[in-house]
Amino acid sequence: MDTQALALALPLIGWASHTALLTHRLATARRDPLTGLRTRAGWTALAERVIRRHSDAVVLLLDLDDFKNLNDSHGHAAGDFALAVTAERLANWCGRHHGIAGRLGGDEFVAIARQAPDLESLQRALNQPVAHAGRRLPVSVSVGSCHVKDLPVRNLSDALATADCAMYAAKGTAGRRGTRTLHR
C-alpha cells in the first residue's frame, strides 16, 4: 500500500473504530451492570413505543419490600444477589408475556406488557425465597400497575405515576404483599 492510500485510509479506520466504541458504550449504558436489565433511558424509549402501538398495554412498577433490612441483616452481597434474582425472574415473566423489564435504580424495577398480564403469576414468581450462601432469604415484592387505556391521555409519565400510587397502596396491605391497580 502506498503512503498516499495509507494516509487516506488511516482516518477512516480511526473513525470506524471510534464509532464502534461509542456504539458499544451507548449499548452498555442502556443496561444495568448488576441485573442486565434495561436502565431507565433504555426502558423508557421502548415503553413509549409500546404505549403508542398497544392500547391494552399495562405499566408495572415494582419495589422489593424491606430491602434495607435484607442488606443490613445479610450484607450487600446478599442484597445484590436478591436484586439479580428478582431481575431474572421479572425478565423471564416479561418474556412469556410480551413485556419489557427495566431497573430504575436501587430496589425499584419497572415493566410494561403489551396486553393485560396475569399479575398473580408475577407475584408467585417474585415472592419466592432466594438461596444465598447457605441461607434462604425472604423476598417480597410490591407491584403497582396501570392499564394505559384507563388514562385520560395515554402516556408513560401518567402511567408510571398511577402505577407508583398503586405500588404504595400494595405496600400498605397487611400480610403478604400484593398487587394493586389504581385508575385515575
Side-chain angles (χ1 to χ4, degrees):
M1 180 177 262
D2 66 2
T3 54
Q4 188 176 16
L6 185 59
L8 290 173
L10 280 177
L12 292 175
I13 293 169
W15 178 81
S17 297
H18 183 68
T19 300
L21 176 66
L22 289 178
T23 302
H24 175 72
R25 284 187 178 170
L26 180 61
T28 57
R30 291 183 178 256
R31 292 283 177 176
D32 175 61
L34 177 64
T35 64
L37 294 180
R38 287 172 173 79
T39 61
R40 180 184 303 263
W43 181 84
T44 298
L46 293 172
E48 287 174 341
R49 194 173 320 144
V50 170
I51 287 174
R52 282 192 306 273
R53 294 180 180 171
H54 302 277
S55 60
D56 287 341
V58 177
V59 173
L60 307 170
L61 197 59
L62 307 92
D63 189 76
L64 271 72
D65 300 320
D66 302 319
F67 184 70
K68 182 181 180 336
N69 186 41
L70 177 76
N71 260 341
D72 291 347
S73 301
H74 302 283
H76 290 284
D80 286 350
F81 188 75
L83 289 172
V85 169
T86 299
E88 181 180 358
R89 291 171 177 174
L90 179 60
N92 288 338
W93 182 87
C94 282
R96 289 190 306 274
H97 292 89
H98 305 288
I100 302 164
R103 181 177 180 207
L104 296 181
D107 63 334
E108 197 168 59
F109 296 89
V110 67
I112 188 165
R114 292 184 181 127
Q115 53 189 317
D118 175 14
L119 295 179
E120 288 181 26
S121 70
L122 176 62
Q123 283 294 152
R124 283 191 304 274
L126 296 177
N127 291 329
Q128 298 293 320
V130 173
H132 179 263
R135 293 186 171 150
R136 288 175 52 89
L137 306 176
V139 174
S140 176
V141 180
S142 293
V143 180
S145 65
C146 174
H147 296 260
V148 296
K149 68 181 178 184
D150 295 333
L151 296 172
V153 177
R154 286 183 8 213
N155 68 60
L156 183 58
S157 181
D158 289 348
L160 284 170
T162 301
D164 188 50
C165 289
M167 182 193 65
Y168 279 103
K171 279 190 174 292
T173 61
R176 196 75 179 174
R177 303 303 186 217
T179 59
R180 292 285 186 270
T181 302
L182 291 184
H183 305 284
R184 285 186 165 186

